Amino acid sequence: MNNQKLLEVQDLVIEFTTDKGKVRAVDGISFSLNNSETLGIVGESGCGKTVTALSLLKLIPSPPGKIIQGHILYQGKDIVSKSESAMRHFRGKEISMIFQEPMTSLNPVFTIGNQMIDVIRQHTHASKKEAKERAIKMLERIRIPNPERRIDEYPHQMSGGMRQRIMIAMALSCNPKILVADEPTTALDVTVQAQVMAQISELQKKFNTAVILVTHDLGVIAETCTNVLVMYCGKIVERADVSTLFESPRHPYTRGLLTSIPRIREKKLEKLPTIEGTVPDLLHLPVGCRYADRCERVRDHCRLEEPPLEKKDDKTEVACFYPY
Amino acid sequence: MDTFIYSLRKFFQSIPLIFGVTLISFVLMVYFGPDKTYDLLGKNPTQQQIEEVHHQLGYDQPFLTRYFIFFKEIITFDFGYSDSTGEKVSSIFARTIPVSLAVQLPILISGNIISIILALIAAYFRGKMIDKSVMFVAVIGMSVSYLIIVILFQIIFCSSYGLNIFPVQGWEVESFTSYLKYVTVPVLASVFLSIGYNTRFYRAVIVEEITKDHVRTARAFGTHPLKLLFKNILKNSLIPIMTRIIITLPFIIIAGSIVLESYFSIPGIGLVLYDAILTGDLPIIKAAVTWTAMIYVLSLILTDIMYTVVDPRVTLK
Ligand SMILES: Nc1ncnc2c1ncn2[C@@H]1O[C@H](COP(=O)(O)OP(=O)(O)OP(=O)(O)O)[C@@H](O)[C@H]1O
Ligand SMILES: [Mg+2]
C-alpha cells in the first residue's frame, strides 16, 4: 500500500446547467496528492479552481452543478458515490477547506469558541469542556493572544487576518489529512498575507497535513508548494514540481504567466499577470487547443485537435503539441 | 442595567408619539365618529332629551376641555364607564382581554412555529418538489377568504358532515378541557391562514441567509442539516422574524380578532371594540387607542432589546 496516493482525482468532469446551456467548469482533469505534499493550483479567474477545490468535499452547489464523470479517490476509496450523510463525517475530518472571504466565512452571531467547539464535537466524542480546551489549545498554536478570553468573542471583534487564522485553526482542529485552501490570502492586507501563509506552512508541518493551495499569487506558489498544476479553461495544461516549473516552464501559457513574476513580486498584484487576448467562453469552446487564440507558438494543427496532457520529460506533463 | 436605562429613555422619548396618536384619534372620533345620542334615545327624541344626553356624554363641552379630560384619563389610566352598558371600562377590558389572549396566543405561537419550520424546510429544498408543495399550500392559505376557511373548518370539525367533535361556536369555559373544546377549531382555522402569510415571508428571509458564506463554511465542516437550519441559519434570520412577530403584539392584545370572535361567538375584546366603534362608545375607544399606542411603543423597545440578544453586533445606543 506504500504507493497508494492520499488523493487521486481521475478524469473529473463537472458541469453547470445555466440558462444559456451546459457549462463544463472542469473538463476531465486528473491529479494526485501524496501525504504531506503541498500542491498549488494556479490559473486565471474562471478557469475552475474553486470548482475543483469544492468538488473534493462534494460541496458543488447542486443544482446547478453536477459531477458528470470521473472519480475522486481518497485513500483508495471513491467519494463521488458517497452519500451526503457519509460526506458529513468526511468533511472537516479527512479533508478540510478554508475560503477566500474571512470576513464572511464565520457565523456572525456565534462566538468563535462556539463554532470551533461545534466542529470538534462533530467529529470526536469530546465533551463540551474537552472540546473547549482543545479549541483554546488550537488558538494558542496560532498564537492568538489571550485565547481563554478571545474564544468568547464574536467574529466582528477580530481583524480579517485573525479570522482567517481562526479558520485555519478550525480547519485543522480535527487533524484532517488534507487542507484545501482556496485563495486564503487574496482578501487580506499585504502585510498579513505572509503571516497567514507562514501559519499554514507551520501547522502543515506540525500536523503532517497535505495542502492544496489555490492561488493567483505565483510568488506564494514558489515559496510554499512542492508541485504545481496550471489550469486553463477547466483543463490542466501543465503539471510539474515547483522548481522545474519556475526554471523551465514548457507550456506557452505557463511561460506567459511566469515572464512577469519579478514584477508581481514587487507590486503584489492580486491578479495574475495578464496575457494578451481573452479566455474563450466556456459555452463556445474551440475544437482544438483552448489557448490557441492567445498562443505565440500556434500552428494550424493546434486549431484542429486538442492536445492531451502528456509526459514530455520525467518531470513535466504538458498539454501542448509544440511546447518550449 | 444598560438595557433598563435604555428602555426607560426610549419610553420617555416616545411619550410625544403616544400623545400625538391619541390626539389625532380623538379629533377623528369627535368630528367624524358616530354620535351616541341616537343610539341611546331611539327614534324621535325631543330637543330637550337630546340636549340632556349631550350634556351627560360631555358632547356640549368645547373641544379643548374634552381633550383635557381625555388627557387626564390617559395619565391616570382611568377611562370611566362605557356609554352603552355603564360598566367600568377597565373591568370590561379585564374581562375580555384574557379571553382574546386565550385564543390569540395559541394562534400566534403555533402559527409562527409551524411557519418557521415550514419555511426552513422549503428554503433548504428550494426549487425542489417539497419547496413547491409547501409554497402551494401557503398560497392557498393566503388567497382563500377567511370566511371560507372558517366555514370549512366548522364543517370538518363541528358538523355531522364531518368529524363532529367540537362545538360550532360559543365560549363556556370552566376547565382546561372545556377551554380546549372551544378553542381548537378557531385556532386551527387561524393558524392555517397565518401559515400562508408567514411562511412566504420567512422563507424569503431564510433563503437569503442560506446562500451566505458562513453556511458554506458550516457545511464544509460536516454540520448536520438540522443543526445548520435550526442553529446556524435560524439565529441569523431571527431579527426580521422577531420584528414581524413583536409588531403584531399590540393588535393581538387590544384588538383580538373581530372576525374570528364574531364567527365563533367568542366574548373577547374584538367584539367589544367592534360594537364600540359602530355605536360611538367613546370611553372604550379612547381606552383602546391609548393602550394600543402604549403597547406599540413597548413592543418597539422590546424589539430593540431582542436585537441585542440575537445579534452581538447590535448595541443599544
Ligand atoms: N454556481 C455556479 N453556477 C453556474 N456556473 C458556475 C457556478 N460556479 C462556477 N461556475 C462556472 O465555473 C467556472 C469556474 O468557476 P470557478 O469559481 O471554479 O473559477 P476560479 O478558477 O475559482 O476563478 P477565480 O479565480 O475568479 O476564483 C466559472 O467560469 C463558471 O462558468
Ligand atoms: Mg475561485
Side-chain angles (χ1 to χ4, degrees):
Chain A
M1 293 293 275
N2 250 351
N3 58 350
Q4 188 186 53
K5 303 279 188 196
L6 177 59
L7 181 80
E8 204 162 354
V9 173
Q10 297 171 346
D11 197 21
L12 187 68
V13 177
I14 297 163
E15 264 182 12
F16 286 90
T17 312
T18 66
D19 299 339
K20 290 181 209 126
K22 289 209 155 92
V23 166
R24 283 207 168 184
V26 168
D27 194 0
I29 64 171
S30 305
F31 63 90
S32 61
L33 185 72
N34 289 316
N35 278 313
S36 41
E37 176 184 344
T38 307
L39 177 70
I41 303 183
V42 272
E44 279 162 306
S45 194
C47 69
K49 304 183 297 292
T50 298
V51 173
T52 307
L54 287 174
S55 72
L56 303 179
L57 284 172
K58 290 228 296 178
L59 280 175
I60 305 280
S62 163
K66 195 164 190 288
I67 296 179
I68 297 290
Q69 177 190 317
H71 301 284
I72 299 170
L73 304 178
Y74 174 78
Q75 295 185 327
K77 290 194 202 74
D78 194 358
I79 64 163
V80 173
S81 51
K82 270 197 180 183
S83 70
E84 185 58 25
S85 68
M87 282 312 292
R88 275 205 300 282
H89 300 290
F90 185 86
R91 296 176 184 142
K93 173 107 177 66
E94 307 295 337
I95 303 185
S96 267
M97 182 155 182
I98 56 177
F99 300 93
Q100 182 175 349
E101 306 84 5
M103 303 316 271
T104 52
S105 289
L106 288 162
N107 195 325
V109 300
F110 292 102
T111 61
I112 58 154
N114 186 317
Q115 299 180 52
M116 292 182 75
I117 290 168
D118 267 1
V119 171
I120 292 168
R121 297 196 67 201
Q122 165 75 21
H123 298 298
T124 62
H125 296 293
S127 69
K128 272 214 169 100
K129 201 163 149 271
E130 288 162 356
K132 184 167 182 182
E133 279 162 13
R134 197 155 154 187
I136 291 177
K137 211 172 269 161
M138 282 309 292
L139 292 183
E140 274 166 11
R141 283 244 161 83
I142 57 169
R143 290 186 292 278
I144 300 274
N146 287 321
E148 288 91 354
R149 192 171 52 81
R150 301 224 76 161
I151 196 165
D152 291 323
E153 288 186 0
Y154 290 91
H156 73 274
Q157 292 166 291
M158 310 198 160
S159 68
M162 208 181 264
R163 286 187 221 184
Q164 193 63 298
R165 283 158 60 204
I166 284 165
M167 277 296 296
I168 296 166
M170 226 160 109
L172 296 178
S173 61
C174 293
N175 272 325
K177 299 273 191 318
I178 303 176
L179 174 69
V180 181
D182 187 6
E183 307 197 30
T185 59
T186 310
L188 299 176
D189 264 13
V190 178
T191 44
V192 192
Q193 286 183 352
Q195 194 191 354
V196 169
M197 279 318 301
Q199 199 114 62
I200 292 180
S201 302
E202 184 190 327
L203 291 173
Q204 172 185 19
K205 282 198 195 83
K206 193 167 271 161
F207 289 99
N208 223 350
T209 319
V211 172
I212 295 180
L213 181 69
V214 170
T215 179
H216 277 134
D217 192 337
L218 283 163
V220 167
I221 297 258
E223 278 160 26
T224 49
C225 294
T226 35
N227 291 299
V228 189
L229 302 179
V230 182
M231 284 187 72
Y232 187 77
C233 261
K235 296 223 159 210
I236 295 173
V237 293
E238 179 158 3
R239 177 210 332 266
D241 69 85
V242 88
S243 50
T244 313
L245 188 94
F246 280 83
E247 275 156 27
S248 55
R250 307 289 305 269
H251 198 286
Y253 176 62
T254 316
R255 186 162 280 234
L257 291 180
L258 285 173
T259 41
S260 27
I261 270 253
R263 269 179 284 135
I264 15 166
R265 285 313 283 164
E266 281 157 28
K267 286 199 246 153
K268 269 284 181 187
L269 291 182
E270 290 204 343
K271 289 241 151 60
L272 279 174
T274 40
I275 300 168
E276 251 173 66
T278 49
V279 188
D281 181 358
L282 286 175
L283 281 164
H284 308 100
L285 287 173
V287 190
C289 177
R290 295 174 185 189
Y291 188 60
D293 280 346
R294 301 165 76 186
C295 185
E296 60 211 25
R297 292 164 81 88
V298 64
R299 299 194 209 160
D300 290 348
H301 181 199
C302 299
R303 300 191 191 275
L304 300 173
E305 201 187 325
E306 204 168 355
L309 186 64
E310 281 174 340
K311 251 189 154 55
K312 295 289 160 170
D313 54 56
D314 53 344
K315 284 180 176 164
T316 332
E317 286 174 60
V318 187
C320 182
F321 293 122
Y322 310 104
Y324 284 100
Chain B
M1 196 59 207
D2 280 354
T3 316
F4 181 71
I5 293 171
Y6 172 84
S7 314
L8 223 56
R9 204 179 62 226
K10 262 302 227 222
F11 188 77
F12 282 117
Q13 283 169 357
S14 313
I15 286 178
L17 176 79
I18 295 175
F19 282 108
V21 169
T22 49
L23 176 61
I24 293 169
S25 323
F26 192 62
V27 170
L28 292 174
M29 286 181 246
V30 169
Y31 291 107
F32 301 98
D35 190 331
K36 187 81 190 157
T37 319
Y38 304 97
D39 195 52
L40 288 175
L41 290 175
K43 284 174 194 154
N44 307 321
T46 64
Q47 188 59 35
Q48 203 201 343
Q49 280 175 315
I50 291 178
E51 268 161 30
E52 222 167 81
V53 171
H54 271 185
H55 182 68
Q56 270 173 19
L57 295 175
Y59 286 6
D60 54 351
Q61 306 281 334
F63 179 82
L64 271 182
T65 316
R66 291 180 69 185
Y67 182 67
F68 184 71
I69 293 169
F70 182 28
F71 195 87
K72 218 172 75 195
E73 290 170 343
I74 294 175
I75 290 171
T76 57
F77 286 108
D78 182 358
F79 296 91
Y81 299 85
S82 158
D83 288 345
S84 310
T85 61
E87 194 183 349
K88 210 169 176 353
V89 172
S90 51
S91 78
I92 297 179
F93 275 40
R95 177 165 49 79
T96 53
I97 286 181
V99 174
S100 287
L101 283 184
V103 183
Q104 294 297 329
L105 283 185
I107 295 173
L108 180 77
I109 294 168
S110 50
N112 277 298
I113 291 177
I114 296 172
S115 304
I116 289 173
I117 292 174
L118 286 178
L120 283 167
I121 295 171
Y124 188 77
F125 294 104
R126 62 193 177 287
K128 305 229 168 86
M129 206 51 216
I130 300 179
D131 178 27
K132 286 177 185 150
S133 323
V134 169
M135 284 302 109
F136 182 72
V137 175
V139 170
I140 291 182
M142 274 176 72
S143 39
V144 177
S145 138
Y146 203 168
L147 184 58
I148 292 178
I149 300 284
V150 167
I151 293 173
L152 197 72
F153 274 69
Q154 283 178 336
I155 292 175
I156 295 174
F157 292 102
C158 318
S159 77
S160 48
Y161 299 106
L163 300 170
N164 204 6
I165 42 175
F166 293 106
V168 178
Q169 45 175 227
W171 191 263
E172 284 146 37
V173 174
E174 280 127 19
S175 62
F176 189 65
T177 353
S178 60
Y179 166 62
L180 285 184
K181 200 167 104 185
Y182 287 104
V183 88
T184 306
V185 181
V187 166
L188 286 180
S190 305
V191 163
F192 183 79
L193 283 165
S194 75
I195 284 175
Y197 290 95
N198 290 338
T199 308
R200 273 178 67 90
F201 176 76
Y202 297 160
R203 179 188 175 277
V205 170
I206 294 163
V207 161
E208 187 182 326
E209 198 57 42
I210 230 169
T211 50
K212 294 219 169 128
D213 286 339
H214 68 81
V215 176
R216 185 181 62 181
T217 306
R219 277 185 13 99
F221 285 110
T223 309
H224 193 280
L226 286 178
K227 187 167 197 178
L228 197 66
L229 285 175
F230 286 92
K231 180 179 173 182
N232 301 44
I233 294 171
L234 185 56
K235 194 171 178 201
N236 275 286
S237 318
L238 228 41
I239 282 190
I241 292 178
M242 271 186 339
T243 309
R244 186 180 164 102
I245 295 174
I246 295 176
I247 289 304
T248 57
L249 285 181
F251 306 102
I252 285 174
I253 296 171
I254 299 300
S257 165
I258 292 167
V259 188
L260 194 71
E261 289 173 9
S262 60
Y263 285 149
F264 288 96
S265 304
I266 296 166
I269 182 82
L271 279 187
V272 171
L273 262 187
Y274 180 67
D275 286 341
I277 291 166
L278 279 190
T279 61
D281 195 340
L282 276 187
I284 291 182
I285 301 177
K286 286 194 284 191
V289 166
T290 310
W291 278 110
T292 310
M294 210 84 87
I295 297 175
Y296 190 77
V297 165
L298 291 178
S299 306
L300 287 181
I301 296 172
L302 181 63
T303 25
D304 282 351
I305 294 172
M306 294 306 283
Y307 285 174
T308 63
V309 174
V310 171
D311 193 334
R313 290 165 297 183
V314 180
T315 51
L316 296 175
K317 270 272 156 57

